[in-house]
Amino acid sequence: MSDNLESLNNDGGQTVKMDLNYSAMCDEKIAEAESLRASGKLQEALDMLLVVENETRNASDVVSTRRILEAIVKLCFDAKDWALLNEHIFLLATRKSQFRFALRKMVKQCCTLIDELPDKETKYKLIECLRIVTKEKFPLVRNSLKLKLIQIKESEGDETGAENVLHEL
């Protein structure tokens, strides 16, 4: 059990000292945000979670920060607001002192959602957003996104486009 906790408090090879544990508050705020989204107040829900994300990040609570990042992605995805999803992915990825562990989990969650998007343009925009935020931080994830893009282009019959992406690898 202690090995598991140790790995959660280790962010990219650097041990992070957790000042406070916000897990109970996260449970409450995530549930509140989901009810706000259900009542059509998505922006209010996201604003509330961004405040909580700032608190958890500043308190070095990596696990709670990860949960908030994933909740923000889920809220945008459930609301089918693709522009807001991309905007928040970029916003969260570029925040100062963002935990690599939390960011990596958020990006992986987004990668699983690509196939569920409604059209190719939305898929391309999400993949491009994820490629931007993973550029120097997660080269393996970035390469898997390139392969996903190649598969999409090949399935559409765009051999030239798939070949161009392949040359980037």
Side-chain angles (χ1 to χ4, degrees), residues 76-117:
C76 292
F77 186 82
D78 290 347
K80 299 183 182 347
D81 193 331
W82 315 124
L84 205 54
L85 173 64
N86 291 337
E87 179 183 321
H88 278 80
I89 291 168
F90 188 75
L91 171 74
L92 293 167
T94 56
R95 284 219 163 159
K96 185 177 180 180
S97 303
Q98 187 60 271
F99 298 115
R100 290 176 62 87
F101 170 78
L103 184 58
R104 184 173 44 247
K105 291 293 187 177
M106 180 190 73
V107 168
K108 285 186 177 186
Q109 176 192 18
C110 292
C111 289
T112 64
L113 300 175
I114 291 171
D115 291 329
E116 298 178 39
L117 294 174

Side-chain angles (χ1 to χ4, degrees), residues 6-152:
E6 184 66 31
S7 67
L8 292 176
N9 286 336
N10 186 340
D11 187 47
Q14 179 179 15
T15 302
V16 178
K17 180 182 174 271
M18 189 167 81
D19 296 333
L20 295 170
N21 185 342
Y22 283 91
S23 59
M25 184 182 73
C26 282
D27 293 337
E28 175 187 323
K29 294 296 183 179
I30 290 171
E32 187 180 335
E34 287 173 353
S35 67
L36 281 171
R37 186 209 55 87
S39 65
K41 299 177 181 175
L42 177 62
Q43 192 58 53
E44 287 180 35
L46 294 172
D47 291 343
M48 179 185 60
L49 289 181
L50 288 172
V51 170
V52 175
E53 183 273 337
N54 188 40
E55 289 178 35
T56 59
R57 184 170 32 87
N58 288 333
S60 299
D61 186 348
V62 179
V63 175
S64 294
T65 303
R66 173 195 54 89
R67 289 182 58 214
I68 296 296
L69 267 57
E70 290 176 338
I72 289 171
V73 167
K74 184 179 182 316
L75 287 176
C76 292
F77 186 82
D78 290 347
K80 299 183 182 347
D81 193 331
W82 315 124
L84 205 54
L85 173 64
N86 291 337
E87 179 183 321
H88 278 80
I89 291 168
F90 188 75
L91 171 74
L92 293 167
T94 56
R95 284 219 163 159
K96 185 177 180 180
S97 303
Q98 187 60 271
F99 298 115
R100 290 176 62 87
F101 170 78
L103 184 58
R104 184 173 44 247
K105 291 293 187 177
M106 180 190 73
V107 168
K108 285 186 177 186
Q109 176 192 18
C110 292
C111 289
T112 64
L113 300 175
I114 291 171
D115 291 329
E116 298 178 39
L117 294 174
D119 55 56
K120 68 179 182 178
E121 184 178 330
T122 306
K123 289 179 184 181
Y124 287 147
K125 286 181 181 178
L126 178 59
I127 290 171
E128 189 57 33
C129 177
L130 293 173
R131 288 176 67 192
I132 290 168
V133 301
T134 60
K135 187 171 187 171
E136 295 174 5
K137 296 176 184 177
F138 310 114
L140 293 177
V141 176
R142 183 172 166 81
N143 286 339
S144 70
L145 286 166
K146 287 178 185 177
L147 290 174
K148 184 73 169 168
L149 188 57
I150 289 169
Q151 291 171 347
I152 292 171

